[in-house]
Amino acid sequence: MGEELWRRQQTPQWGFLENYPFTDLIDARLGWRVTGVGSPRIRPHQAEPIRVVHMQNNFERFLTFDVTADSNRMRDHATFTRAIDDEVLIVTTTRAAAALGTSDPDAAFSSLLTLPSVCRASDYLSR
């Protein structure tokens, strides 16, 4: 299933779909899809350009990634939110992004916080 998706997208800006955790998200069959890919830009205090990638699934769950423009890999962290929650979660590893994105869509918010390398955005920003 997922392999056909990347074959349709032959431009470099879509190369991230060939990398983990994006492969796991697409292959989880939860309806993850890319809803936006930004142009390359450099964030303050960072040397390498990134693209901001927005994803959404069939359960009104949203992930936003900074993806390195040259290697097409997740950089630093990603954000996760659900339409039913007022909170934003931060994941700091690709493994955490895959675990959160492939978790049970009906999981309680508190159980999502128990996943390794997952925290509330307010806790992440206060570090």
Side-chain angles (χ1 to χ4, degrees):
M1 173 197 148
E3 187 133 345
E4 293 174 18
L5 176 66
W6 0 125
R7 285 192 187 136
R8 285 183 277 157
Q9 304 295 340
Q10 296 297 317
T11 59
Q13 77 176 30
W14 291 88
F16 64 88
L17 288 174
E18 297 175 3
N19 296 324
Y20 182 80
F22 306 101
T23 51
D24 279 20
L25 295 173
I26 299 296
D27 291 342
R29 302 201 190 278
L30 294 172
W32 283 106
R33 60 198 172 279
V34 175
T35 58
V37 178
S39 298
R41 64 181 176 159
I42 296 178
R43 290 206 188 272
H45 309 293
Q46 300 293 333
E48 63 183 333
I50 56 97
R51 286 187 175 88
V52 177
V53 174
H54 300 278
M55 297 183 75
Q56 177 180 351
N57 76 4
N58 293 343
F59 301 93
E60 295 296 307
R61 299 176 345 149
F62 307 88
L63 275 162
T64 301
F65 296 88
D66 280 2
V67 175
T68 55
D70 56 345
S71 66
N72 284 312
R73 302 211 179 269
M74 178 180 132
R75 187 162 134 248
D76 297 333
H77 68 275
T79 61
F80 174 88
T81 189
R82 303 185 302 183
I84 62 171
D85 297 319
D86 292 330
E87 298 253 14
V88 174
L89 297 177
I90 301 286
V91 297
T92 56
T93 65
T94 54
R95 180 171 286 162
L100 202 52
T102 59
S103 64
D104 180 351
D106 296 321
F109 184 81
S110 58
S111 71
L112 298 177
L113 280 170
T114 66
L115 295 170
S117 303
V118 174
C119 66
R120 285 184 166 92
S122 57
D123 295 336
Y124 180 81
L125 297 173
S126 66
R127 310 197 237 177

